[in-house]
Amino acid sequence: MADRADSVPGAGYEEQYEARYEERPSRTVAGAVLWRAGGAGSGIVLPDGCMDLLWVDGRLLVAGPDTAPHPAGEVPGSGFAGIRLAPGAAPALLGVPARLLRDRRVELADLWPAAEVRRLTARVASYGDPRAGLEELARLRTADGGLPDPLVAEVAARLRAGQGVAAVAGAVGLGERQLHRRSLDAFGYGPRTLGRILRLQRALALTRRGLPQAAVAAAAGYADQAHYTREVRALAGTTPGAYAAGAAYAAGSAGSAGAKREIPEPSGSRTTA
């Protein structure tokens, strides 16, 4: 599936897609990003807290929230389109707790009645661009009661801003255990893990801007550069230096055509490494 990062060109030391990657913000689904790509490459997808509804060679699938790097080619296909949903938005739309989809790519028919999925598959296929069909599907589900809990959106925003778990729990009026349970259903993991993932995405975005590693670590909120290095290894399976070198190469390779781009977080990703 596509990698999800933060709306900028450049990627990691291997490209997820060879070419023909495009994306744009959804006009009708708040916080969502629509994307398409010609086919999977040999890169990896990094965690970003997001979930995607995918169209792969005429099939509907769901990509759950990641806790570790995933190979870009784990879902085989020659053409991909998707709608990437912001952290916490997908469970209300899908009617499935995010914790059940953590680190998984599943057929939509495994989650919804087969007859309903066949009808929706035909509907998406009727659009010239499957992204438009996915966007309409998400819009209708949202209008039909699939709006995310405002508390969930606030939790994600506060964690993205770098607030600690205790501060977030106090701000939204929950105990830390309650917040953990709510976060498992909304994001697929607890608030501490989501905070680490969102902090990593902040750091990688700064790296793609060319900042030195020590400056990235300080600006993103790590205790020191060693802490930043450990987190990149743990969550991205690479090193800050290797990622920075790959991002510089990818930015140069993308050129004016915009190919070999990385996909933004709205969801969610995220980044190739």
Side-chain angles (χ1 to χ4, degrees), residues 6-41:
D6 6 71
S7 304
V8 296
Y13 60 85
E14 287 185 314
E15 298 299 330
Q16 178 169 358
Y17 290 102
E18 295 300 325
R20 303 192 310 280
Y21 172 74
E22 299 175 8
E23 69 168 22
R24 64 172 174 83
S26 170
R27 299 183 181 91
T28 60
V29 182
V33 170
L34 302 172
W35 59 267
R36 67 180 174 189

Side-chain angles (χ1 to χ4, degrees), residues 91-188:
L93 187 148
L94 295 171
V96 178
R99 58 185 165 77
L100 299 181
L101 300 172
R102 184 172 56 232
D103 289 314
R104 299 178 63 199
R105 278 70 173 133
V106 302
E107 300 277 349
L108 186 60
D110 292 339
L111 307 177
W112 292 359
E116 174 71 0
V117 173
R118 285 194 297 271
R119 183 184 70 80
L120 293 172
T121 300
R123 184 180 181 91
V124 173
S126 71
Y127 286 77
D129 183 342
R131 292 177 300 175
L134 293 170
E135 184 178 36
E136 180 66 2
L137 190 163
R139 185 190 70 80
L140 291 174
R141 290 285 297 187
T142 300
D144 195 32
L147 285 170
D149 185 343
L151 182 144
V152 168
E154 182 177 356
V155 168
R158 289 180 176 278
L159 291 170
R160 185 177 288 109
Q163 293 187 17
V165 173
V168 173
V172 300
L174 295 176
E176 290 190 38
R177 289 186 179 181
Q178 290 176 302
L179 176 61
H180 186 81
R181 288 195 297 270
R182 295 281 289 272
S183 295
L184 287 177
D185 284 346
F187 308 118

Side-chain angles (χ1 to χ4, degrees), residues 6 159-163 195 197-207 216 219-221:
D6 6 71
L159 291 170
R160 185 177 288 109
Q163 293 187 17
I197 288 170
L198 296 177
R199 180 175 58 190
L200 175 71
Q201 288 297 324
R202 291 197 302 275
L204 297 184
L206 293 169
T207 297
V216 168

Side-chain angles (χ1 to χ4, degrees), residues 29 42 70 88 97 101 159 161 166 189 193 254:
V29 182
S42 59
H70 283 250
L101 300 172
L159 291 170
Y189 23 66
T193 297

